[in-house]
Amino acid sequence: MVQKYQSPVRVYKNSFEMIMAAYQRRFPTCHLIPMFVGSDIMNEYKSEDGAVHVVERRCKLDVDAPRLLKKIAGVDYVYFIQKNSLNRRDRTLHIEAHNETFASRIVIHEYCCYTVHPDNDDWTCFEQSASLDIKSFFGFESTVEKIAMKQYTSNIKKGKEIIEYYLKQMEEEGITQLPRWTPAPKELQECQTSTSTHSVSPALNIPTITCTDGNSSRDGPPTSSSPPEALSSTPDDKLDADYIKRYLGDLTPLQESCLIRLRQWLQETHKGKIPKDEHILRFLRARDFNIDKSRELLCQSLTWRKQHQVDYLLNTWNPPQVLHDYYAGGWHHHDKDGRPLYVLRLGQMDTKGLVRALGEESLLRHVLSINEEGLRRCEENTNIFGRPISSWTCLVDLEGLNMRHLWRPGVKALLRIIEVVEANYPETLGRLLILRAPRVFPVLWTLVSPFIDENTRKKFLIYAGNDYQGPGGLIDYIDKEIIPDFLGGECLCEVSEGGLVPKALYRTPEELESEDIRLWTETIYQSASVFKGAPHEILIQIVDASSVITWDFDVCKGDIIFNIYHSKRAPQVPKRDTLGAHGITSPVCNNVQLIDKAWQLGRDYSMVESPLTCKEGESVQGSHVTRWPGFYILQWKFHNMPACATSSLPRVDDVLASLQVSSHKCKVMYYTEIIGSEDFRGSMTSLESSHSGFSQLSAATTSSSQSHSSSMVSREPLPLSDSVLPSLTHPQDLKSNPDGLLRLSPSFWGQHFSTLYTLRPPVFLRWPPSWRLPFIREAGGPAAIEMEGSDST
């Protein structure tokens, strides 16, 4: 298995020239790196103007490995080839290195890059990426991999320390500033002429020649290979080390690499917006930084949030009065670590009465709103205390717990809540303090504990009786001043005291079942299954030409191909069997086929858009302007992996990919809408119009210093009045809420679901040029939304 590493951006608050002078002092050897025995220059090239300097070295390393392993391998030292390509004009240094020793058994590649900080010319940025592929090593592959990873990560930590050591050494020598490279007068004149001809000069490609056997040629100036993809993206997409430490905490180099790689994958599949970095990190921690497992869990959670509109829960969920009166839980200051503190008086709560009066789904929604509020408070406390806070503390008082709390439907509801929270809010519980546990508690713990993750169980602290009042008790985790009054403290706790729910508020099972269905069907999305040979198709009838068909779908499992067809005659709609094997309604298993097998493409129906291949985990939105009335068919088709063209045998990648799709089955979650052309204000670029984002858990993919912001949109409220709405274009698309917020309808944005934004004119948004967004204009005033790369209109 290939091991990969990608570093965050490390920033030196020194000029590029000072960093280069410090870097050169590492050669030919460096006493700060004991394993770096020495180096010899194999090849060197300098341009006539002195701007480009390429040096190729053969580095000798004394790897800290067991002597027996060295004896078996027959070597005492390991040799690497390192090529440094310095461009003083562009102020960049690209470093490429690969192993020479055991090159046929082990393949190691490393890429490093020093560049000028995009926002400060006097600062320098550093990045590095590496890959390790051990093909075979005398049966010691696992041992060699561990040794290599250990040595590499230890050197990563020393990298910045070494540069800072030599910078301090230069400062002691009186060197605090070095001049930038400047061309000779004749070259300067040519450079100015070139600049006047081209508004933006491309970065200089450093020449290098690479032989087919991987060794660089010594004849003439070496030509540099193309820069690695990991280092070629824009700085705005990357995280810097200082940001990670400030907002995410101390991570090991490998943990930083996992975060960055998973974040890059999300940027590729969810364009525009991705989950916040701290949310991605929670899923990585929940799966011990296994990228594949974390990605699977995170994608399932994001799909779940989107399907059930969880992003908008804090704005849409209005707890019934029964919860206000009898739910004995609420937020109460914070603990000594700065974590938000949630107090739950479970022993005083009538769980049976709440379930009978509200139903399981209402209780679940209320718990989800508590978790959403917890995420918001964590972000708020991170800014207040100046250190990363990604979890909260829960204090549970069990005084009054009895057999009534073990009522079977109540325990069933509790287990379901635990299951949903564990899957979608991992690593959000920092500590759980259980106080005054009675004798019946072990029975409840035996029922509940198997459903709780092992890492979460380690955070439980249980106190029986009044043990919490002594040393090692509550005072160790919560300041004395904020201990609630019902626990003997002096702080007034505003959490409800609970009590028995009057039976007059109980509802019949039929009413509760109807309410439960209504709560969880409040979604505009539908789910469908796609099988090999059995695509899922939906029919859209268009009466007026130039109407706009819009869609939004997520590929939950497998890879699919999305097509749009037009037919003048209506296909026969088959009856859909939504009953599963056990007669239970299963809407997620819907599969409808409309195109008759006797129909011929080009005669009975025609394709109106090029097929779009969508990978598992992708979210896609798009639109199509219809040219003719009639019947349009949207089709999601199973994607067959292409076979190798040069061989009749299947490739290994194809076999593995086919095994990942169980029973050749894919799942999609979709929403479609028809909009009149006069009302459509969205993208006319059809299939590639945009990709979806996640409002509450997402942050715009901006620079790392702003990655913790929740949106590109200003969130200051706009007070609504009767005189405000008529001043905006398309006022029919704006709806006011009691809290003074604007809700923009799908037709306004040309999107496929309402998104809650708070606007305060004028609001300026910067979006990719390919997005054609509407303009909000005050009467007689400038546009409140402008598109990047174009003038306001």
Side-chain angles (χ1 to χ4, degrees), residues 5 58 96 141 195 216 313 343 360 392 435 461 484 487 584:
Y5 170 78
R58 188 169 187 257
E96 302 177 26
E141 291 81 10
T195 304
S216 299
L313 193 59
V343 176
E360 183 179 322
W392 52 82
L435 310 182
L461 297 174
L487 293 176
I584 302 174

Side-chain angles (χ1 to χ4, degrees), residues 640-656:
N640 291 307
M641 300 297 294
C644 183
T646 60
S647 173
S648 60
L649 296 176
R651 297 179 302 174
V652 175
D653 292 344
D654 297 340
V655 175
L656 293 177

Side-chain angles (χ1 to χ4, degrees), residues 261-319:
R261 288 164 57 197
L262 181 54
R263 190 176 185 269
Q264 288 175 343
W265 181 85
L266 288 167
Q267 286 174 338
E268 295 171 0
T269 56
H270 297 87
K271 305 293 184 181
K273 289 184 178 182
I274 63 173
K276 294 179 182 178
D277 300 320
E278 54 267 31
H279 194 64
I280 300 174
L281 187 58
R282 289 188 183 103
F283 282 85
L284 283 168
R285 284 174 171 155
R287 291 297 178 263
D288 294 325
F289 287 87
N290 183 304
I291 291 185
D292 294 333
K293 293 181 179 180
S294 303
R295 178 172 55 196
E296 180 182 2
L297 184 64
L298 178 58
C299 288
Q300 291 174 355
S301 177
L302 293 178
T303 301
W304 170 83
R305 295 182 65 86
K306 188 175 181 180
Q307 183 174 12
H308 296 297
Q309 306 285 296
V310 179
D311 289 337
Y312 315 113
L313 193 59
L314 289 179
N315 299 311
T316 59
W317 171 244
N318 185 21

Side-chain angles (χ1 to χ4, degrees), residues 322 325-326 347-354 402 404-405 497-503 505-506:
V322 177
D325 296 338
Y326 299 101
Q348 302 297 317
M349 197 157 56
D350 182 10
T351 54
K352 179 178 180 179
L354 289 174
N402 52 46
R404 180 182 176 87
H405 292 85
E497 295 183 359
L500 292 176
V501 177
K503 292 186 177 181
L505 299 177
Y506 286 11

